[in-house]
Amino acid sequence: MKIVVVGTGYVGLVSGTCFSQTGIDVVCVDIDKHKIDMLNNGQIPIYEPGLEDIFKYNVEKGRLSFTTNLKDSLSDAEAIFIAVGTPPDEDGSADLKYVLSVAREIGQNMDHYMVVVTKSTVPVGTSQKVKAVILEELKKRNLEVPFDVASNPEFLKEGSAVDDFLKPDRIVVGVESHEAEKTMRQLYKPFLLNGHPILFMDISSSEMTKYAANSMLATKISFMNDIANLCELVGADVGMVRKGIGSDARIGSKFIYPGTGYGGSCFPKDVQALVRTADEYGHSLEILKAVEAVNYRQKEVLVKKIISHFGENLKGLKFAMWGLSFKPKTDDMREAPSLVIIDLLLKAGASVVAFDPVAMDEARRILGDSISYANDEYDACIDADALIVVTEWPEFRMPNFRILEKLLKTKTIFDGRNIYEPEEMQDMKFNYYSIGRKSIIISQ
Ligand code: NAD
């Protein structure tokens, strides 16, 4: 069996590589020649744990290959997955230009039956648009090539994408023909030997499922962040409240950790896109509008605490920042809270020295020399006025506080992920600010 995956980003590259691990042939296509050259030279353009080993193994076996030529890739393919980006348009709705341009190229080149699967996150109705564009191109060629469209949203998480793909909680597939269902069932069978379900449904429901899932997760995060802020005002400890509610099976303990707001390439744009879709249908998604507003505010919470400690004017102050990626185990900085925090600090006249275990190159690309980059977490703290923890990388969880107190100008930590305990900070005489818990103020 042979398939094509178009787009070699976080989703396309991981999907293509994991599919090839089942023994089928996979051709990955991208318009970015630099990426394809890197991949053909054995280099992986993104950081994703576990990807390199199976990538190398399958390339060596000759069943995983990379090209910029979509036309050639199509020969003998039984399915083609569209896994290109769907960034937000100016009004927040999903920009489908990449998806539809791939559909156009497929229509211009296909000459045998295949299933055209949309894996990108797309609004309801997009698969029908993909179908219409392909038909339009076939018509221009005076050809009648049979094909099916399918929707197969991806639920992998950056940072554990390979594991998620190989052992999915569920696979969601929207189809409108038995033949497409058969192909998709066959492709996913090796991933479902653990009994996890493959859910077939109509295409609209499948497209909607992805947005509903991400919006629900974003809602949990914003809800908890809002509760955390109230906890501070009323003198409650959000850590205890989290445990108190998380042990209720109806609520569950996942995704209720307070922090500096959600970021990444998915939640912000998917929540926005769903809100816009609803608006188009004359329905206002009030909950999600609030989720967005709370998240926007939450990204500023640490800076507000910094200002309450140091005063409005941060001129001449230097801050060490631990963590730049939007979450641990990824180098992805799209919509990362670190970017908002850095922007606000620089505007207030401060300087920032940052360290992240894997996102340094990405940070240099985005931020240039507006901040300084440290060699490691301790290096970042030399002569800094305070430490700000933005991403909860495991290696930040148990630092040597004795070293930190010597390096920092003042023993002050702003912890955006609640990875340290206020009592321990009190014992070690650190000023300590976290989210939704009491602040420890030794000296100001
Ligand atoms: P990405 O930006 O990392 O990668 C997209 C790739 O598509 C790029 O390499 C780009 O060069 C390529 N591309 C664009 N137009 C092309 C074309 N015409 N032909 C060939 N290649 C083309 O994106 P991503 O993070 O992998 O996300 C892809 C889709 O999957 C999005 O819709 C996203 O919402 C969704 N998704 C992402 C994640 C995630 O964690 N990143 C998880 C689930 C779903």
Side-chain angles (χ1 to χ4, degrees), residues 303-323:
V303 178
K304 288 196 177 125
K305 289 174 194 282
I306 290 169
I307 286 171
S308 82
H309 185 87
F310 288 105
E312 288 284 340
N313 186 359
L314 302 181
K315 258 201 186 83
L317 295 183
K318 179 163 108 177
F319 292 95
M321 181 174 285
W322 284 4

Side-chain angles (χ1 to χ4, degrees), residues 248-421:
D248 184 328
R250 293 170 303 175
I251 296 171
S253 58
K254 291 183 180 161
F255 266 78
I256 54 170
Y257 286 78
T260 54
Y262 61 76
S265 69
C266 293
F267 288 2
K269 83 167 171 61
D270 292 349
V271 169
Q272 267 180 37
L274 193 56
V275 167
R276 296 304 163 265
T277 299
D279 284 345
E280 275 166 31
Y281 283 82
H283 178 72
S284 181
L285 282 176
E286 296 300 325
I287 291 179
L288 288 188
K289 285 180 181 170
V291 165
E292 262 192 300
V294 168
N295 194 56
Y296 190 77
R297 201 173 59 187
Q298 196 65 18
K299 288 185 177 179
E300 300 180 343
V301 155
L302 273 191
V303 178
K304 288 196 177 125
K305 289 174 194 282
I306 290 169
I307 286 171
S308 82
H309 185 87
F310 288 105
E312 288 284 340
N313 186 359
L314 302 181
K315 258 201 186 83
L317 295 183
K318 179 163 108 177
F319 292 95
M321 181 174 285
W322 284 4
L324 292 163
S325 55
F326 84 94
K327 67 174 181 179
K329 296 192 191 164
T330 180
D331 58 349
D332 198 339
M333 285 181 62
R334 288 177 281 187
E335 302 282 333
S338 63
L339 295 174
V340 175
I341 296 168
I342 287 171
D343 183 51
L344 292 171
L345 290 177
L346 296 183
K347 277 185 184 142
S351 61
V352 175
V353 187
F355 174 73
D356 186 285
V358 303
M360 298 299 264
D361 288 345
E362 185 62 0
R364 279 194 185 90
R365 195 182 67 75
I366 298 171
L367 296 162
D369 54 13
S370 62
I371 63 166
S372 308
Y373 303 93
N375 296 322
D376 62 37
E377 56 268 49
Y378 294 108
D379 184 29
C381 293
I382 296 172
D383 284 337
D385 291 276
L387 166 64
I388 310 170
V389 180
V390 183
T391 319
E392 68 279 29
W393 281 91
E395 50 263 71
F396 299 157
R397 286 181 184 272
M398 292 183 67
N400 187 327
F401 288 102
R402 294 288 149 249
I403 296 180
L404 280 187
E405 70 181 19
K406 285 192 188 115
L407 296 178
L408 290 169
K409 261 197 220 157
T410 70
K411 292 168 63 177
T412 305
I413 298 178
F414 297 91
D415 177 0
R417 300 290 170 179
N418 289 1
I419 58 177
Y420 310 127
E421 291 310 317

Side-chain angles (χ1 to χ4, degrees), residues 31-42:
I31 41 167
D32 185 337
K33 187 173 175 315
H34 177 63
K35 260 190 194 177
I36 294 296
D37 287 346
M38 280 181 82
L39 289 160
N40 279 324
N41 286 326

